Amino acid sequence: AAEGDLRRTSRDELERTAPGALIQSAESGFEDDSQRQADLSEKPWLYLLFLVTLVAEQALAVHLSFHVKGEAAAPPAARPLAA
């Protein structure tokens, strides 16, 4: 119930509620990256590999799909309307 109030709280209230917790403000810039873990999603090679895979998939889809060449594709014959 105490967490339902979404108003901004004061620094004193935060320190009283969570003693010993690291409190950062927007002005501090969150420069402390000691808890941060780097992962594969930060590498540009992952996105490049994904892009190459998508381009190759599209090239294979066009190459392996059925395409009629030139004038061999005749328009469908018109059917008479039923009365």
Side-chain angles (χ1 to χ4, degrees):
E3 294 176 357
D5 188 7
L6 297 179
R7 288 180 291 172
R8 191 171 289 215
T9 187
S10 67
R11 185 175 194 91
D12 295 333
E13 179 71 22
L14 282 175
E15 289 172 350
R16 186 179 57 78
T17 305
L22 175 65
I23 300 173
Q24 294 181 335
S25 64
E27 292 83 25
S28 69
F30 302 102
E31 297 298 327
D32 182 25
D33 286 341
S34 62
Q35 300 294 329
R36 188 170 173 275
Q37 296 178 354
D39 59 358
L40 189 61
S41 68
E42 296 178 3
K43 308 287 185 206
W45 298 109
L46 176 69
Y47 297 105
L48 183 61
L49 176 68
F50 189 66
L51 181 66
V52 167
T53 303
L54 290 176
V55 169
E57 184 269 335
Q58 287 298 309
L60 278 173
V62 169
H63 179 69
L64 298 175
S65 63
F66 178 73
H67 294 285
V68 179
K69 298 192 188 288
E71 296 178 8
R79 284 191 278 159
L81 294 174

